[in-house]
Each structure stands twice: as structure tokens, then as C-alpha cells.
Amino acid sequence: MASGSDRNPIIIGGLPSQVPDFDPEETQEWLDSLDAAIDDRGRERARYLMLRLIERAREKRVAVPEMRSSDYVNTIPTRAEPFFPGNEDIERRILNATRWNAAVMVSRAQRPGIGVGGHIATFASSASLYDVGFNHFFRGKDEGDGGDQVFFQGHASPGIYARAFLLDRLSEQNLDAFRQEKSKAPYGLSSYPHPRLMPDFWEFPTVSMGLGPIGAIYQARMNRYMHARGIADTSKSHVWAFLGDGEMDEPESLGQLTIAAREGLDNLTFVVNCNLQRLDGPVRGNGKVIQELESVFRGAGWNVIKLIWDRSWDPLLAQDRDGILVNRMNTTPDGQFQTYATESGAYIRDHFFGDDQRLRAMVAGMSDDQILHLGRGGHDHKKIYAAFKAAVEHTGQPTVILAKTIKGWTLGPNFEGRNATHQMKKLTVADLKGFRDRLHLPISDRELESGLPPYYHPGRDSEEIQYMHDRRKGLGGYVPTRVVRAQPLALPDDKVYASVKKGSGQQSIATTMAFVRLLKDLMRDKELGKRFVLIAPDEYRTFGMDSFFPSAKIYNPLGQQYEAVDRDLLLAYKESPTGQMLHDGISEAGCTASLIAAGSAYATHGQPLIPVYVFYSMFGFQRTGDQFWQMADQLARGFVLGATAGRTTLTGEGLQHADGHSQLLASTNPGCVAYDPAYGYEIAHIVQDGLRRMYGPDSEDVFYYLTVYNEPIQHPAEPEDVDVEGILKGIHRIGRGTSGSIPAQIMASGVAVPWAIEAQRILAEEWNVRADVWSATSWNELRREAVEVERHNLLHPEEEQRVPYVTRKLTGAEGPFVAVSDWMRSVPDQIARWVPGTYQSLGADGFGFADTRGAARRFFHIDAQSVVVAVLTELAKEGKVDRSLLKQAIDRYQLLDVAAADPGAAGGDA
């Protein structure tokens, strides 16, 4: 054997071999002992000895590298399993009834004339995991706090409904209305967990794969944040996330594991249902997904509990003196385990145990049927209880339980472990009979052969049902339940908005800064100020929000354990365990998860929070649009700021930072109220109305999206005759034309409003056109209201027909209408149908690019001169000006020469 000095100075498996050896003779003795163990007893015995040495080293607090994975056996040894406090016989009968009703509900949903589908196999594999949680761990809300937060796996929803049916929380009529929310209203049940669809039942929408895990992480963090800031006592709340092993392939599932470990979120437990199957086949057919996930979670700093084998394996493992059985478990790929799940006991005897005499001897006294029923740990209540108890008692780290199950478990040979089981939705009569027999339910053949299979209920006074109610009473109420206990907030009066309404005077500021000024004033309010939760993805300074660092401070549960490099500055970086600002690093997905957790705190914990999430607008709806749908589904509230908005305002950053479409994406979200304000006083009224709508006496389940810009402009003071209704509904006139004889109308939003005003001046001075300028604060809201009006008119032809607000507002305005914005034309085109006159829009369609603002706007033909030509073009179509003027105007303003444009104010980040 090579001595330490002869080895290459590298790190092998995390162990630095180049560390000096101060006692080579002693080292050689240890190495010789290891060699002897290998030679005399084999590699498996030597491996066992090494593992025990590592275990003892940790007991003695000797720092040794963490193992990336352990043997393919249960983490908790049989000797360390706690006493199981439940009545396992009763719990098994309860679970059998739940399994039956879940499967029958989905099967009945496939009846002729309905055929709405559903999923059976996912809950079948995870039913025992949920049952132990419901009976022994999940806390309800009856004690007045938020209880536990449980993120249920979306495809398992039939099982949650089935359990609620046994508890009389749902009726047969509800179960038969599964996936028929409108046609069977008010009894309809949503396909998956959706608070918007069932606001008194579900808390967290989870079926969009990967969003449940990240949502659970940031919910656990939000619980700690609220507790640290004294807003709510969340010390008893535990967050549970039930996930699929295939789901863990989603980047959102694993992307934020380190924050949970870094902040020591021991109030969080992931339960990964490792049935080894995706939707169409094995997750890791040639590999071992449990081992892979163990390595990932261990590396991220999580406590890992593997729950692989049920109690029937305990006697065999106790005989495994040479480690041959564990080695076979370690080396058998997942795809083969799935095959074993569908084969006979004889097949398992021949293929799993058969090629080694020692393995064959272990099962020599077992029948083929006994071998067939060697089970997986995720179906064993006692093993599950041990894992759950260890998870909630572990401190300092979040825990993941990797529970091995069989997809379609108990549903029969046509379902269990089959690749197609996820898509199988209906049980045949033969399947039902076998399923009934497996569950030992008192249902006759005649009931199964005549019509739809029946639901099973053991009776309200039965031992099983009373046990269920007693367990839930002991745990604080029924789960899932969504309760809104929050009271309306006392909102500040108009005075707090006064400074922003005064305008910026001679100073030029961006609308981002106007919003930040208003936010600073709102946060000074004694009642409201503490409710704000500031969120940004590593960009507070970009948005001029570093001014909040000294007062609000950045949340860090460990505080600031270093001297900040900028500690001598007025706006030094300051972290605190009670900080108000969430500085989530470069993770828009993480920030949006924080936004959702904060925005739904009014329901989760009965304490309203007002999240304000500020980000580069390009990285909002485009990057995390799925989470904004999750936010709407979860009925979360708050303010979302798409800063540095527009296709041409952040031109130095180029294409990937040039947002000309997020307003259009926002328009697709029914829970999003989107605005594109131009001036500070517009922002003031929008924010004030948003606070009223989301946190006032008649609160609504919406969230506000404001696009704000980084281009400095002079903000006028609020006019005395300000049209507040127009601002809030989406359009108001900000400037009547005062000279020129040919009327026209210019509509603009956001940063384009100054271009429209400049175009108004040019038209009057050079072309005798008298143009009015309108600020379109929300193209989206104008369209939304108009669509609702048309819908009403369609269904109520006998009533007086309503007229959309935008039509009423613009009626009487003379001339053609030209709309301009820093968005693609599809944004202002949303209202074209309802504009009472000739309409043309200008927009920044196509990819952005790096250049000056002036050049970019000339390229897209949205600058003031392009607006002038657009107005003249529409007037020429109406015969109000000669067409020859158009070529004159194009030449005069050099519209075809991008380099001829005034470069304008310098682009930048803030």
C-alpha cells in the first residue's frame, strides 16, 4: 500500500489527502487493520465497520465529512422506533374506507354523459402517509392560530375529499359533483387543491408541479418572519409538503432547498412519495431516485429520513450478517423494483433472492405469498409514524422524508405499479370486486354489478368515525380548512398621499422613485407601517430602496454577524432578526413565493400583511407567470411592481431586459389589477384604491401590478379638477389642445405620456392640429370592464344596453384616435373595439436591443415625431389634411434615420 506521502495531493471523496501525517506508523496500523478486515471478512464487513466508525466519530463530535447517501434501508432502525399511540386496526379500517371512496368517486366521474376524469393511483400510493398525518400530526385552526400548513399533492385530492366525506364535511352529492364545479354548483368539487374555487376548504394550490415545494419553503420562512416581527405567534405551526418523486425533477422543487437549511427551518417537512413512477414510466429506471434525492437534500443541508421497507423486512434484515441483502437492495435499480411490484412471489424469489445461496436461505422458510407481500415502508403506519415523529422533533434543519410506495397500491394487478396507472380512471366490475375484497368492505356483488359502484360509510356512530372525530378534536380541528379571521386594516387618510400629489417641481424623477417616496410615507403610519413586507431579488439599490436599509432593515434570523463594508455610509446595509425587508437574492421564483406567503397571511394566520414586490419588469410575468397564477389561486393580495418597465427605457441592458409585453401577460390573469401610470399623483390614487380594495372593509381577492419606469421626468402637481374615477377605471384627459383648428386625440400610458405631450405641441405649432392628450392608466382594466359590459348585454337583451366606460369617456372627443406606449401594440389594441372613432396604435413590437432611448424609440416609431406622423396619417385618411403632408413630415423628422433621433436622457438601472 502506498504511504500517505506517496499519494497524489488531492481531495478524495471530500477527504484532503495532502494533510501532513504526524504519526505515519499509527496511520499504517489503522490501514493494515482495514486491509485485514477486507481480506478476512470481505468488503461488506469492512464497509459496515467504517460506517460504525463514522457514527462513533460523530457521537464524539469529531468533524468528518457528511455522507452523500446511505444504504437503501430505513434511516430509523427498528430498535429506535417509538411507541405507536394509535389503534392500528381502527386506522386500517378508516383508511380502507377512504381508499374505496376515493377510487369510486373518480370511477363514477367517468360515468356516461360526464367523463370528466380524475386520478386514482397517486392517492392510492400515498394514502397511508396522509392517514398518519391526519390522525396524529396535522394541527387544525380551532385554537385560534394558523395551525399547520399542509401542501397536499395535487393528484391526491380525491383521497382528501373521501376522508372529508367520512367526517360529514362533504356529502355524496359533493363527491358525485367532482370536477363539475359549475354544472353541479354549489356542490361541485375542484379537480385539485384550489382556494379560489373552494375558499373554505383548500388553503394552498399545488397541482402546478414544483410550485408546492417552493411555496412550502417560503411559507415556513414567512412563519418565522411573522413570529420574529411580533405579528403572529407561529411557534406551533409546522409546514408539511407532500410531493411526488417525479415532481422533484422540476427546478422549482429543488432550486431553493439551501435557504431552508441556511435559515434552520425545522418547522418544515417534505414528504416525498417515492412510488418510482412519473406519469408514463419510471422516474429513474436505471438508477435509484431515493438515493439521488438523499444526496441532493443532504448536500443542501437537510435532515434526511428514508422510509423504504415495511416491518415484514425486519426479520430478514436482522439475519443479514454479511450485508448481502442490503447490497442487493443497494444495487437493484428502480425499474427492476417496479417489475417486482407487478410480478409473483415465485418470480421475486428467483430473481431477487435466487442467485445467491445466502439470500435464498433467508427466505427458504417463507411461502411465495409471504415473499409477494414483503412491502414498502410508505404503506406501514408504524414506520410512517416513526418517521413523522422524528421529523417534527428534529431541530436546526428542515427534514425530508423519502417514503417508498407503490403507485396504485391496493387497486389490484391491473393498476399497481403499471406504467399507465396514472391515466387509468375507471375500475371494471372485476377490479371493484378485487379491490373490495382486498379492503374487506361489506359491499355485495349485486351492488357492484348493478349501476354505479356505491360509496361506503361505516355509519356516523361507528367506532371508526368516532375515532376520526376524536383525533381531529385532539389536534385542533379539521384539515384542510381555510379560515379568514383577519379584520380590515385602519387605512391612512388622504394626508399621507399629499407629498406625491404635489409633483416633483423642477426635479425630474422616475415613476419608480415616485412610488418609493409614497411607500416611505405609508410605512411611517403607526398602524399600517409594520404590515408592509418589502421584497426584492437583490435589486433594492437599483430601485432606490436602499434608503429603507437603516430603518426597516433586512430580515436575517441570525442577524448581522459581520461588519458591513459600507457601515460608515448613511444608507449602510443592515441585517436584523426583526428586519422588515426580504432580500431574497437573485431568485425571482423565491421572491414570488415570499410574495404569495405574505399576501395570503390574512387567511393563513389571520394577520394581514401588505407585500410590495419590486423587480425588473422583464423578469416578472415572463419568468414567474405560473406563480402569479398560483398567487391568484391562493387569493393572495399585495402590490407587484414591474420596475424598469418598457421596451425602450432600459436600452443599455439590451434585449433580455426590454419588457414590452408584461402588461399583456398580466391581462391574462383574472386576479391581477394592472396599471401603467405616468405621474406620481396617478400612483397615489391607484395605491390608495388598492389598499382599500385589498385591505378595507369589503376586501377583494385581487393583487395589483404597477409598471413603473427608470426614466426621469418632471411630474406635474395633481390638477384641481383631477378625474379620480378616470384614473382608476383606466383613462383620463390630462391636456386639452389649446391651439390649432383640426381636432385629434392622443392616448398614451406610462413613460409615453411625455412623448404624447410633445407631439401635441408639435402638431399645434407646425400642422394646425389641436390634439387632446389622455393618460391611459390601464388598458387592461378598460378592456376588462368592456368585456363584462358586452357579456351582460349578450345575456340581457331585454334590458337597456350598457355602454363600456372607455366608449362613454371618449364619446364627444373629435378626430381620429392614436394610442402610443412603450409596449407592443397588442397592449393598447385591447380597447380598439370600443373606441368611438378611427383608431391607430403605435408600439414597440419585436425584440429590444441596446442603444440610446431616442434611437430605440425612433426605430420602433413611438417617439413624439412618430406620433405626429401617425396623427397626420389618420387625418389624411379622413380627408382632413392633404396626403402630401405625410412625406413632408417623414422627411422633416427623419423618421427613417434612427441615428437622427435625439438620444434623450441616458439609460440606466435606476
Side-chain angles (χ1 to χ4, degrees):
M1 172 175 288
S3 66
S5 59
D6 294 332
R7 296 176 183 174
N8 293 326
I10 58 175
I11 294 178
I12 302 174
L15 298 172
S17 61
Q18 72 271 30
V19 174
D21 188 347
F22 295 104
D23 193 342
E25 292 183 6
E26 181 185 28
T27 302
Q28 193 61 47
E29 290 176 6
W30 281 88
L31 295 176
D32 290 342
S33 297
L34 177 61
D35 290 343
I38 296 171
D39 294 340
D40 295 343
R41 302 294 301 277
R43 289 187 176 87
E44 287 302 317
R45 177 61 180 169
R47 180 177 182 275
Y48 175 78
L49 292 172
M50 290 298 298
L51 291 174
R52 290 305 304 272
L53 284 172
I54 292 173
E55 181 182 29
R56 179 54 56 86
R58 288 186 180 138
E59 290 173 356
K60 298 292 186 179
R61 299 192 178 185
V62 176
V64 292
E66 182 75 30
M67 292 178 60
R68 287 175 294 181
S69 66
S70 58
D71 284 325
Y72 201 66
V73 295
N74 295 344
T75 301
I76 301 173
T78 305
R79 65 180 183 277
E81 289 175 5
F83 169 75
F84 180 71
N87 186 317
E88 197 168 6
D89 180 61
I90 295 177
E91 291 190 15
R92 185 180 296 110
R93 300 202 303 267
I94 292 168
L95 184 55
N96 287 349
T98 305
R99 286 182 181 279
W100 175 266
N101 291 328
V104 166
M105 179 181 70
V106 174
S107 188
R108 287 168 70 112
Q110 285 298 99
R111 60 192 181 274
I114 302 296
V116 292
H119 297 282
I120 300 176
T122 295
F123 176 71
S125 66
S126 58
S128 298
L129 299 169
Y130 286 117
D131 211 49
V132 171
F134 279 121
N135 289 330
H136 301 286
F137 292 96
F138 302 158
R139 290 182 60 254
K141 297 175 179 286
D142 288 356
E143 296 179 9
D145 61 9
D148 284 356
Q149 290 79 57
V150 185
F151 289 70
F152 294 95
Q153 192 176 1
H155 290 114
S157 61
I160 313 306
Y161 292 141
R163 196 173 211 280
F165 164 70
L166 294 177
L167 289 166
D168 283 334
R169 301 184 65 204
L170 297 175
S171 66
E172 280 196 27
Q173 198 169 7
N174 289 123
L175 298 193
D176 274 345
F178 177 59
R179 293 191 169 196
Q180 301 154 75
E181 297 173 71
K182 300 300 182 184
S183 61
K184 295 295 177 64
Y187 302 101
L189 299 181
S190 62
S191 307
Y192 305 116
H194 279 295
R196 183 167 288 278
L197 305 176
M198 296 177 64
D200 299 324
F201 192 83
W202 297 114
E203 280 197 282
F204 306 105
T206 54
V207 80
S208 188
M209 299 291 99
L211 299 191
I214 193 172
I217 289 172
Y218 282 86
Q219 182 62 58
R221 185 199 192 203
M222 185 56 59
N223 289 359
R224 289 284 171 83
Y225 171 89
M226 294 180 71
H227 190 83
R229 293 192 55 222
I231 293 174
D233 182 358
T234 63
S235 57
K236 296 180 181 179
S237 291
H238 198 87
V239 179
W240 300 83
F242 286 80
L243 317 166
D245 48 358
E247 180 181 2
M248 304 312 288
D249 285 344
E250 289 284 5
E252 292 87 355
S253 296
L254 300 175
Q256 291 295 295
L257 296 183
T258 53
I259 190 174
R262 188 167 62 245
E263 298 198 4
L265 297 181
D266 49 22
N267 60 339
L268 171 66
T269 298
F270 277 14
V271 181
V272 184
N273 174 24
C274 297
N275 56 38
L276 314 186
Q277 287 188 244
R278 292 191 180 114
L279 305 189
D280 291 330
V283 179
R284 298 287 185 273
N286 292 327
K288 299 178 81 65
V289 69
I290 290 177
Q291 302 298 84
E292 178 183 318
L293 290 174
E294 180 186 22
S295 296
V296 170
F297 279 92
R298 281 187 187 276
W302 285 53
N303 176 43
V304 179
I305 298 175
K306 291 199 295 191
L307 174 58
I308 298 180
W309 306 117
D310 74 3
R311 71 192 77 175
S312 64
W313 287 91
D314 290 348
L316 297 180
L317 288 165
Q319 300 176 45
D320 190 25
R321 296 181 180 276
D322 297 324
I324 186 65
L325 177 58
V326 171
N327 182 63
R328 177 56 52 90
M329 293 171 169
N330 287 339
T331 56
T332 301
D334 284 352
Q336 190 62 43
F337 275 125
Q338 290 304 83
T339 299
Y340 293 142
T342 65
E343 287 290 347
S344 66
Y347 179 93
I348 298 170
R349 184 192 300 274
D350 290 341
H351 290 79
F352 185 78
F353 296 101
D355 63 353
D356 188 287
Q357 183 178 356
R358 293 167 293 179
L359 289 175
R360 287 197 304 272
M362 284 185 186
V363 295
M366 297 177 66
S367 68
D368 287 346
D369 188 64
Q370 287 174 317
I371 291 175
L372 179 64
H373 289 94
L374 288 169
R376 299 183 180 182
H379 304 307
D380 187 325
H381 278 211
K382 287 187 176 180
K383 302 284 188 184
I384 296 168
Y385 179 85
F388 281 21
K389 189 172 189 291
V392 297
E393 292 178 354
H394 185 77
T395 58
Q397 293 173 290
T399 294
V400 60
I401 297 171
L402 303 173
K404 189 176 182 182
T405 65
I406 293 176
K407 195 163 188 176
W409 179 241
T410 72
L411 291 174
N414 292 329
F415 284 80
E416 291 180 351
R418 302 292 176 180
N419 281 343
T421 191
H422 189 79
Q423 306 303 330
M424 298 167 70
K425 309 177 189 305
K426 192 170 184 179
L427 294 154
T428 66
V429 172
D431 290 331
L432 288 165
K433 289 180 179 179
F435 189 33
R436 172 206 59 191
D437 294 343
R438 181 99 173 248
L439 301 178
H440 307 288
L441 297 177
I443 300 171
S444 68
D445 286 352
R446 183 180 56 81
E447 291 176 280
L448 299 180
E449 292 168 353
S450 56
L452 298 173
Y455 297 113
Y456 172 71
H457 197 295
R460 289 178 175 81
D461 296 327
S462 67
E463 187 178 35
E464 296 92 334
I465 302 305
Q466 290 306 309
Y467 184 92
M468 294 176 74
H469 284 298
D470 288 345
R471 294 309 306 136
R472 291 317 311 160
K473 183 178 179 181
L475 288 166
Y478 299 103
V479 175
T481 298
R482 183 176 180 274
V483 179
V484 179
R485 298 192 179 103
Q487 298 299 311
L489 295 179
L491 301 178
D493 57 25
D494 293 346
K495 294 179 182 177
V496 74
Y497 303 95
S499 63
V500 177
K501 292 180 180 180
K502 290 178 181 178
S504 63
Q506 297 302 309
Q507 182 185 10
S508 292
I509 64 170
T511 46
T512 300
M513 298 312 301
F515 177 86
V516 170
R517 286 183 179 181
L518 174 60
L519 179 61
K520 189 174 294 185
D521 291 338
L522 287 168
M523 289 179 64
R524 292 193 180 106
D525 184 88
K526 292 182 179 179
E527 297 298 323
L528 199 70
K530 67 180 181 180
R531 302 283 178 177
F532 283 95
V533 180
L534 308 189
I535 306 168
D538 204 28
E539 291 166 349
Y540 279 119
R541 294 187 190 277
T542 298
F543 308 129
M545 297 178 70
D546 47 345
S547 58
F548 292 99
F549 288 166
S551 55
K553 299 184 178 61
I554 297 154
Y555 172 71
N556 187 328
L558 302 178
Q560 189 162 339
Q561 301 177 5
Y562 60 92
E563 285 190 325
V565 67
D566 58 358
R567 61 190 179 278
D568 295 330
L569 300 180
L570 180 63
L571 303 182
Y573 193 87
K574 292 187 179 179
E575 300 179 72
S576 168
T578 59
Q580 193 165 356
M581 307 171 75
L582 295 178
H583 209 345
D584 280 343
I586 306 175
S587 172
E588 281 80 10
C591 290
T592 311
S594 288
L595 165 72
I596 295 169
S600 53
Y602 73 94
T604 309
H605 293 292
Q607 291 292 338
L609 295 177
I610 308 172
V612 178
Y613 172 31
V614 191
F615 54 87
Y616 270 46
S617 64
M618 187 67 164
F619 308 144
F621 276 88
Q622 174 171 294
R623 182 168 293 183
T624 56
D626 197 12
Q627 286 178 281
F628 285 117
W629 273 95
Q630 182 188 24
M631 183 176 186
D633 285 341
Q634 199 163 314
L635 312 182
R637 305 165 184 171
F639 291 96
V640 177
L641 274 292
T644 63
R647 188 78 82 198
T648 67
T649 60
L650 196 63
T651 51
E653 298 284 351
L655 180 155
Q656 290 152 329
H657 289 66
D659 173 26
H661 52 280
S662 69
Q663 280 284 342
L664 195 64
L665 297 175
S667 74
T668 66
N669 190 317
C672 177
V673 181
Y675 286 94
D676 187 34
Y679 295 134
Y681 71 84
E682 293 177 336
I683 292 173
H685 286 290
I686 291 167
V687 170
Q688 185 174 20
D689 191 59
L691 289 172
R692 177 191 63 80
R693 288 182 63 182
M694 294 186 289
Y695 300 97
D698 301 313
S699 57
E700 301 176 47
D701 297 319
V702 295
F703 67 95
Y704 272 54
Y705 177 54
L706 278 67
T707 44
V708 289
Y709 299 83
N710 70 322
E711 182 169 354
I713 63 170
Q714 288 187 0
H715 292 244
E718 176 180 285
E720 292 184 2
D721 59 346
V722 61
D723 180 5
V724 176
E725 180 189 54
I727 291 173
L728 300 180
K729 286 186 174 294
I731 191 168
H732 66 117
R733 181 155 37 197
I734 59 172
R736 292 182 179 272
T738 57
S739 60
S741 60
I742 307 170
Q745 308 297 321
I746 305 173
M747 295 182 288
S749 69
V751 77
V753 167
W755 318 337
I757 292 173
E758 174 64 8
Q760 178 191 47
R761 181 192 66 78
I762 296 172
L763 285 165
E765 294 178 1
E766 302 181 21
W767 305 100
N768 192 34
V769 174
R770 187 184 70 253
D772 293 347
V773 175
W774 302 76
S775 175
T777 51
S778 181
W779 310 100
N780 295 5
E781 287 300 292
L782 290 174
R783 179 189 181 277
R784 184 170 290 171
E785 188 269 349
V787 167
E788 183 56 34
V789 165
E790 286 198 344
R791 179 178 179 274
H792 177 273
N793 291 343
L794 175 70
L795 301 176
H796 302 86
E798 75 287 357
E799 297 181 7
E800 181 180 354
Q801 298 292 278
R802 298 178 181 177
V803 179
Y805 181 82
V806 65
T807 306
R808 288 184 279 121
K809 197 70 174 176
L810 297 178
T811 296
E814 296 183 70
F817 296 83
V818 171
V820 62
S821 74
D822 207 9
W823 306 98
M824 56 194 304
R825 291 175 60 177
S826 299
V827 176
D829 280 352
Q830 292 181 95
I831 68 168
R833 174 183 176 87
W834 301 284
V835 173
T838 304
Y839 184 78
Q840 180 185 158
S841 65
L842 303 178
D845 288 74
F847 291 111
F849 52 86
D851 212 312
T852 66
R853 286 172 174 155
R857 289 161 187 169
R858 178 60 53 87
F859 175 83
F860 287 117
H861 300 301
I862 55 176
D863 58 0
Q865 290 77 14
S866 298
V867 174
V868 168
V869 173
V871 170
L872 295 175
T873 299
E874 294 306 309
L875 289 171
K877 289 179 182 177
E878 295 181 359
K880 295 178 181 178
V881 301
D882 192 277
R883 288 194 62 83
S884 63
L885 297 181
L886 304 182
K887 183 63 167 61
Q888 293 179 31
I890 291 171
D891 292 342
R892 179 183 301 181
Y893 303 129
Q894 299 176 272
L895 290 193
L896 301 180
D897 184 0
V898 171
D902 184 336
D909 292 341

